[in-house]
Amino acid sequence: MGKNPDKLLTDLQERLNYLTQLGVEYLYLTPVVRSSAPSQRSRFLALEKQIQNCRACPLAETRTYTVPGEGSITAELMFVGEGPGYDEDQQGRPFVGRAGQLLTKIIKAMEFKREDVYITNVVKCRPPDNRNPNIEELEKCQTFLFEQIRFIQPKVIVALGNVPNHFFLKRKVGITSLRGKFYKYMNTQVMPTFHPSYLIRNEKNRQLKRLVWDDMKQVLAFLGKR
Ligand code: URA
């Protein structure tokens, strides 16, 4: 009897993740004669397709849509959140709910458009009830974010809240002490700052917004914009 297709896909996904971590970027499965290498955009679209087809962790069972990310694939600035919420899961787009509206305002205040930057999350499927992604989910999904960063090579990543910062740093330091100081990850400078949802939850605390803006001013200065 043949193998269960879901299991086959999961095995294949794991094998591909492993190869990617070894630095393998392409797999030509059939001896196709090509006149040129696939374009950058089609390579990026192939990565998005891989995310859309992913069934490597249990979040695939409960998601409506995967949320690979969106924006410019040559962006110098990338924003990384924790994972899609309800609205993002319904639309397959990152940061489109209330927190997303606030993030969009921040991006505009920095004199960028959403299309100029790249916006994504550490995990690409919604964790039920908006809980934080667990270790298994983070591990199964991590290759996608590695690949996105390796591909786009942003000059700065703004890491929103605890989850992406713990993921990049591999240790748990609270966002309050991390924020405002660049650190390096994969040849890129990461600026940790508060997650927009945290700002919304603490709407009356205007100091938090000021701190986020201080962090964004450092990002702009690093990019030579101010
Ligand atoms: N919160 C996140 O971390 N990411 C989203 O895409 C939306 C809300």
Side-chain angles (χ1 to χ4, degrees):
M1 201 147 113
K3 264 195 171 182
N4 165 342
D6 276 350
K7 171 88 177 80
L8 272 176
L9 263 184
T10 309
D11 288 349
L12 180 61
Q13 180 72 55
E14 279 176 1
R15 188 62 61 97
L16 287 172
N17 285 350
Y18 175 65
L19 288 172
T20 311
Q21 275 165 21
L22 291 180
V24 173
E25 288 186 81
Y26 302 106
L27 279 182
Y28 291 99
L29 298 179
T30 48
V32 186
V33 178
R34 284 186 181 277
S35 55
S36 62
S39 71
Q40 292 286 89
R41 177 153 291 281
S42 65
R43 279 179 50 215
F44 200 76
L45 288 177
L47 174 62
E48 284 185 351
K49 246 275 103 24
Q50 220 183 311
I51 297 173
Q52 280 154 356
N53 292 334
C54 178
R55 307 207 65 85
C57 87
L59 296 184
E61 306 306 321
T62 49
R63 74 184 178 217
T64 311
Y65 289 109
T66 55
V67 183
E70 70 182 21
S72 163
I73 62 171
T74 55
E76 52 182 13
L77 179 57
M78 185 174 204
F79 289 84
V80 179
E82 51 196 44
Y86 173 82
D87 296 293
E88 291 76 21
D89 173 73
Q90 294 292 306
Q91 298 183 39
R93 295 181 56 209
F95 280 98
V96 289
R98 254 191 101 195
Q101 283 158 21
L102 181 51
L103 179 64
T104 306
K105 273 193 190 163
I106 294 171
I107 292 170
K108 287 193 177 147
M110 295 172 82
E111 296 183 6
F112 283 106
K113 297 196 221 67
R114 263 179 83 107
E115 313 85 87
D116 297 332
V117 302
Y118 194 80
I119 307 173
T120 189
N121 285 295
V122 181
V123 296
K124 314 303 188 196
C125 297
R126 182 188 183 211
D129 305 320
N130 296 343
R131 64 163 169 74
N132 285 346
N134 65 31
I135 300 278
E136 181 198 355
E137 292 150 8
L138 290 167
E139 281 180 354
K140 289 275 162 61
C141 215
Q142 63 185 348
T143 335
F144 296 139
L145 183 57
F146 289 153
E147 279 304 296
Q148 288 173 320
I149 297 172
R150 208 145 66 117
F151 190 99
I152 296 172
Q153 295 187 19
K155 288 191 185 142
V156 178
I157 295 174
V158 174
L160 301 163
N162 281 317
V163 172
N165 284 293
H166 295 169
F167 173 79
F168 291 138
L169 290 169
K170 296 285 171 267
R171 63 196 163 94
K172 293 198 171 178
V173 183
I175 188 66
T176 307
S177 51
L178 276 182
R179 62 143 289 275
K181 293 178 282 271
F182 281 111
Y183 61 87
K184 201 167 172 208
Y185 180 76
M186 283 174 79
N187 273 333
T188 295
Q189 293 297 319
V190 179
M191 173 54 76
T193 198
F194 295 118
H195 193 287
S197 304
Y198 183 69
L199 299 186
I200 292 170
R201 284 199 303 276
N202 295 280
E203 217 160 15
K204 297 220 169 94
N205 185 344
R206 305 208 48 88
Q207 173 68 359
L208 292 177
K209 275 196 186 153
R210 270 196 290 272
L211 292 175
V212 170
W213 186 238
D214 286 346
D215 301 344
M216 295 310 102
K217 280 197 293 197
Q218 285 201 63
V219 168
L220 290 170
F222 184 87
L223 295 174
K225 303 275 184 203
R226 293 249 165 120

